[in-house]
Amino acid sequence: MLPKGYVCEAKPKVESVVINFFSYSDESVKNKYGVQVYKSGEALLEFTGDTKQPHTVWRSLYSGEVNGSDANCFVLA
């Protein structure tokens, strides 16, 4: 079985952009194991800072052990 993609919405705020989960690519809110990990509309992560130095704030998205913490995980290429 191929992994499911995410259908998300980017919501701009004054000094950040929040990425909210809506469903997987097959329109289900359950993963390939039949488990609902995220609620529709739930914030997965947030980008803060400016375009030269973005900063990631992990919300609900599971990223190993960094769930709920801040990190510099993305670099402008």
Side-chain angles (χ1 to χ4, degrees), residues 17-70:
V17 175
V18 178
I19 308 300
N20 294 320
F21 172 83
F22 279 95
S23 69
Y24 291 100
S25 57
D26 66 356
E27 299 181 0
S28 171
V29 293
K30 294 182 179 179
N31 66 15
K32 65 182 180 181
Y33 304 107
V35 177
Q36 182 175 350
V37 178
Y38 310 111
K39 294 177 184 171
S40 185
E42 186 172 350
L44 297 178
L45 58 112
E46 183 174 359
F47 297 112
T48 62
D50 58 34
T51 57
K52 294 183 182 185
Q53 189 172 9
H55 188 77
T56 306
V57 180
W58 296 99
R59 299 295 183 205
S60 298
L61 184 65
Y62 180 73
S63 169
E65 297 295 320
V66 299
N67 190 16
S69 65
D70 297 356

Side-chain angles (χ1 to χ4, degrees), residues 1-23:
M1 177 184 281
L2 293 174
K4 294 182 179 183
Y6 290 76
V7 177
C8 298
E9 177 185 48
K11 288 192 129 186
K13 293 176 133 185
V14 175
E15 294 184 5
S16 67
V17 175
V18 178
I19 308 300
N20 294 320
F21 172 83
F22 279 95
S23 69

